[in-house]
Amino acid sequence: MVEANKLLRELKKKAKEDGIPIMSDKGIDYLTTFILKNKINTVLEIGTAVGFSAISMALVNPKLKVVTIERDEERYMEAVKNVKKFDLEDRITCIFNDALNVKLDDKFDLIFIDAAKGQNINFFERFSTNLEDKGFIITDNMKFHGYVDMPEEEIKNRNLRGLVRKIKEYKTYLEENDKYETEFSDIGDGLAISTPRID
Ligand code: SAH
Ligand code: MG
């Protein structure tokens, strides 16, 4: 475990140097604590990058299994390499594909959405059928580095403005969703925690 922690620190450092947008420390702390508290044993992750969050989740719960999807080939290859380094091949399955082309039959205790921010509604709609009845869907980057709370006219970049608008739309979609109840948290880069409504 000491070895794993050291490896994880190295992985985090390298990912940051390479400009890979891995989850913030506070976000990861929240996610791993959430996994333990809610006895999460199966996770579907959309957006592997190089495997940092998948590996962090697997390390905190030795029973945990993760299926994680990445569409960027180089990142996927790096993730596979990292998973091997941690000896987690039997618990972390990496899929190389665009998540919007992936159809899964399994059910998961937790679905973690952390991929293209403009596609969140599509990811949510596509994979919510893979959620266990008492499962959770957690979405990262709801604040998108603070831009979501900024007046729109202050965001000069057109693409960025479009992306922020999409995140706001997703927020409204979650707020108005009558099948899921969502809590928004300011932790890290902002998280949305959704769970099926029981009526
Ligand atoms: N969860 C990772 C960070 C993911 S960064 C961590 O915290 O360690 C977001 C990743 O999602 C990027 O690597 C990007 O290539 C990937 N991505 C974006 N859209 C995707 C899609 N439609 N399908 C699969 N992967 C996608
Ligand atoms: Mg993220």
Side-chain angles (χ1 to χ4, degrees), residues 3 6 41-42 61 65 70 95 108 111 115 163 172 181:
E3 176 67 351
K6 183 167 169 268
N41 286 321
T42 51
N61 170 7
K65 291 204 173 191
E70 173 58 52
I95 297 176
F108 299 86
I111 297 174
L163 201 59
T172 306
E181 168 111 60

Side-chain angles (χ1 to χ4, degrees), residues 148-165:
V148 175
D149 298 322
M150 212 180 253
E152 228 176 70
E153 58 279 9
E154 277 179 34
I155 307 171
K156 302 291 176 215
N157 181 293
R158 222 170 136 257
N159 289 337
L160 182 59
R161 211 161 49 228
L163 201 59
V164 165
R165 218 171 270 165

Side-chain angles (χ1 to χ4, degrees), residues 99-177:
L100 295 174
N101 295 327
V102 175
K103 187 86 198 79
L104 298 170
D105 295 323
D106 306 278
K107 298 253 182 190
F108 299 86
D109 299 330
L110 171 66
I111 297 174
F112 177 48
I113 302 178
D114 190 19
K117 309 307 160 196
Q119 297 287 342
N120 281 344
I121 295 182
N122 293 331
F123 296 138
F124 193 101
E125 293 269 318
R126 186 171 190 87
F127 294 107
S128 48
T129 52
N130 294 97
L131 190 67
E132 293 282 5
D133 293 344
K134 288 183 178 163
F136 301 90
I137 301 179
I138 296 185
T139 312
D140 191 25
N141 306 103
M142 294 303 293
K143 292 197 293 189
F144 205 66
H145 320 294
Y147 288 112
V148 175
D149 298 322
M150 212 180 253
E152 228 176 70
E153 58 279 9
E154 277 179 34
I155 307 171
K156 302 291 176 215
N157 181 293
R158 222 170 136 257
N159 289 337
L160 182 59
R161 211 161 49 228
L163 201 59
V164 165
R165 218 171 270 165
K166 287 271 194 184
I167 297 173
K168 286 182 180 161
E169 273 166 33
Y170 180 57
K171 190 160 185 246
T172 306
Y173 163 85
L174 292 176
E175 281 165 349
E176 291 176 353
N177 197 312

Side-chain angles (χ1 to χ4, degrees), residues 11 15 20-24 28 31 45-57 68-73 75-76 95-102 112-117 119 123 127 140-141:
L11 170 53
I20 313 281
I22 60 167
M23 210 184 194
S24 70
I28 277 289
L31 196 61
E45 176 181 68
I46 318 298
T48 319
V50 294
F52 172 71
S53 50
I55 291 168
S56 302
M57 291 190 276
T68 179
I69 310 173
E70 173 58 52
R71 70 175 173 192
D72 181 278
E73 186 164 18
R75 288 183 182 179
Y76 161 78
I95 297 176
F96 169 47
N97 204 340
D98 190 308
L100 295 174
N101 295 327
V102 175
F112 177 48
I113 302 178
D114 190 19
K117 309 307 160 196
Q119 297 287 342
F123 296 138
F127 294 107
D140 191 25
N141 306 103

